[in-house]
Amino acid sequence: MAGLFETTGDGSAAIALDEVEASILRSLEVQMLELIGPGPGEDSDDPLAALFAEGPTAPPADPALHRLFPDAYGAPGEPADLETTAAASEFRRYTELDLRARKREDALHVVRAIDGLGGQGGELKVEAADCPRWLGAVNDLRLTLGSRLEVTEDDDEGLYSLPDEDERKPMVMLYLWLGAMQESLLEAITS
């Protein structure tokens, strides 16, 4: 099936993307790269400064970025006490830059693979070692779209019944496609 992964039998997966699907997926990953952006100090040309750069201590204000880089401590959506907030800030300070870098690398890996199709559709084989990168990149896209759509566990079913004239419909279709793609990749690598 086009746009979904299939197992290759050796721990790898393959996906057939038509030209439009390849273009959409590439565009979404490029937008993800722009959203994530470089972290504080990561745009320095000094490798030593980059090595010792510390990340932010406050969570991102953008709900989509906050979903990609959540607090490590405390319950989501619940007010945190001072001790929990301090622990989450300290954890973020030492981990967020690496997490941003990994998410950028995952998205860039997908972009490069799609670029390998030469602007055409075609079949991509994702080696077993690269499947976690694809899974991470697709998951990040889905989390971001879900955040923009304000999806909760309770209203997931409502996404299937949006009228065609609803302005969220194209984003919902992308969200559902990415969910199916993610599920098919999981099935392909566990088969």
Side-chain angles (χ1 to χ4, degrees):
M1 178 178 209
L4 298 178
F5 285 94
E6 295 180 4
T7 186
T8 60
D10 60 356
S12 300
I15 185 168
L17 296 169
D18 64 31
E19 188 175 341
V20 172
E21 291 168 330
S23 175
I24 290 170
L25 186 55
R26 185 187 189 286
S27 175
L28 289 171
E29 291 295 356
V30 168
Q31 290 176 54
M32 178 61 64
L33 288 166
E34 292 170 0
L35 176 67
I36 293 171
E42 288 186 355
D43 49 2
S44 172
D45 291 334
D46 180 1
L48 191 57
L51 180 65
F52 291 107
E54 293 181 359
T57 57
D62 182 331
L65 283 174
H66 193 259
R67 184 68 180 102
L68 293 174
F69 306 106
D71 286 327
Y73 299 98
E78 298 291 325
D81 60 28
L82 290 176
E83 186 177 328
T84 302
T85 300
S89 295
E90 191 72 3
F91 186 83
R92 179 179 300 283
R93 180 174 149 207
Y94 292 112
T95 60
E96 187 171 313
L97 293 182
D98 288 339
L99 186 56
R100 279 181 184 271
R102 186 184 55 79
K103 289 180 180 299
R104 270 195 308 278
E105 289 168 9
D106 290 350
L108 233 124
H109 185 79
V110 172
V111 168
R112 288 181 181 137
I114 293 170
D115 286 350
L117 293 174
Q120 306 291 318
E123 185 171 306
L124 282 171
K125 182 175 181 187
V126 180
E127 298 298 328
D130 293 329
C131 285
R133 295 185 116 171
W134 274 78
L135 198 54
V138 171
N139 186 56
D140 289 344
L141 290 174
R142 191 162 185 270
L143 287 173
T144 301
L145 282 173
S147 176
R148 296 287 189 237
L149 291 166
E150 299 177 350
V151 172
T152 64
E153 291 177 30
D154 298 334
D155 70 356
D156 202 23
E157 291 298 316
L159 295 177
Y160 296 100
S161 59
L162 283 177
D164 288 342
E165 50 284 345
D166 191 308
E167 64 186 24
R168 298 172 299 161
K169 186 80 172 204
M171 275 185 28
V172 168
M173 298 305 292
L174 286 173
Y175 176 78
L176 296 173
W177 177 52
L178 291 168
M181 185 184 296
Q182 185 178 22
E183 185 176 342
S184 69
L185 179 55
L186 280 170
E187 288 175 3
I189 62 179
T190 58
S191 296

